[in-house]
Amino acid sequence: MKPADTLPAPARAEFGRRAFLRACALDVQVRKPGNVSIASPGHGMEACHFKAAAAAAAGPISSAGAGVGERIEVAVRAAWQATHCNTNLGIVLLCAPLLAAFERRGGEGGPGALREALEEVLAALDLEDARAAYRAIAVANPGGLGRAPAQDVAEAPSVGLREAMALAAHRDRIAWQYLHAFADIFELGLPAFLAAAGAPGRGMQRTFVEFVAGLPDSHIVRKHGDAVAQCVMSEAAQWRTRARGGEVLDDDPAFAAWDEHLKARRLNPGTSADLCVAVALVAALTQAQPPSSRFY
């Protein structure tokens, strides 16, 4: 296949669709404690739900010429129809702007150029994007959102999508990405992912423990409070240290035990997992991490 930056728009959209599917597949092919994987279902869901949602969302989220809000709404509706549960709202909210940026510039120039294009996409988000995204959130109906004093998702927005996300950034790390040009993705997650060169599975796990140990997971904070999120960060710290040292985390049965212990406490670092998918997508779009059938 030609380099992505030389492709016409429809072929570039197809490249993005495949990259999205690869990132979503990697999400469930490796164990990320507290999250659903092939090895470990949880929270009333199994890996098949996430695969079905990704397959349904892949076309709409990478649709050539579509706006960010349209990508989000149609992808979330398709995923919901396929699974009847919220498996990938956060993933879609993160990946839709990235795929729009990729369509604008392709993979030429690597992650830096993609982030520049992403900033242009984010700056152009408008009220229609916000309205479409709010409709998508209503369809997915994620738990633990609560109420916001301004631009609450239960009401029609009156500002653009980036402005709406800025109002939620202090309590939601996915919203925070819209305000900060996906800083966590490009500055924290991507270096961790690429450090496991040639082994995207290990890269995904390393990225996950970097996020869980380094940031209070906003999904856990919303549902269980900041103190619980801080405890999970402390638990993740040793795994981050070991991953940075090059260890294969799955080699230690304690890693699987931590996974089961989190699920027994109904703790799901879902925001961290969503950020990992966005990192894997950036790596695939920029060809910094070549596609591989080997995961370790």
Side-chain angles (χ1 to χ4, degrees), residues 137-226:
I137 293 168
V139 169
N141 192 27
L145 285 184
R147 297 284 295 182
Q151 304 301 319
D152 188 87
V153 294
E155 303 168 359
S158 58
V159 298
L161 181 54
R162 196 176 199 185
E163 291 85 352
M165 290 294 193
L167 293 171
H170 67 285
R171 64 181 186 275
D172 185 279
R173 202 67 184 184
I174 291 174
W176 188 92
Q177 306 309 317
Y178 276 70
L179 185 61
H180 296 278
F182 285 41
D184 291 338
I185 307 302
F186 287 91
E187 297 171 20
L188 177 59
L190 191 61
F193 189 91
L194 298 179
R202 289 174 61 185
M204 194 72 153
Q205 286 183 333
R206 178 167 175 169
T207 303
F208 179 73
V209 295
E210 286 285 344
F211 282 140
V212 178
L215 302 169
D217 188 275
S218 54
H219 184 263
I220 292 178
V221 172
R222 285 197 305 271
K223 299 196 77 172
H224 302 278
D226 186 66

Side-chain angles (χ1 to χ4, degrees), residues 247-260:
E247 293 188 42
V248 178
L249 302 183
D250 276 331
D251 285 350
D252 189 341
F255 193 62
W258 181 41
D259 181 17
E260 296 306 318

Side-chain angles (χ1 to χ4, degrees), residues 46-72:
E46 299 183 4
C48 62
H49 294 111
F50 288 79
K51 291 180 178 180
I61 201 172
S62 58
S63 180
V68 170
E70 179 184 352
R71 292 171 191 253
I72 292 169

Side-chain angles (χ1 to χ4, degrees), residues 14 83 125 188 267 287 296:
E14 174 61 14
T83 64
L125 295 174
L188 177 59
L267 299 178
Q287 294 294 286
Y296 289 93

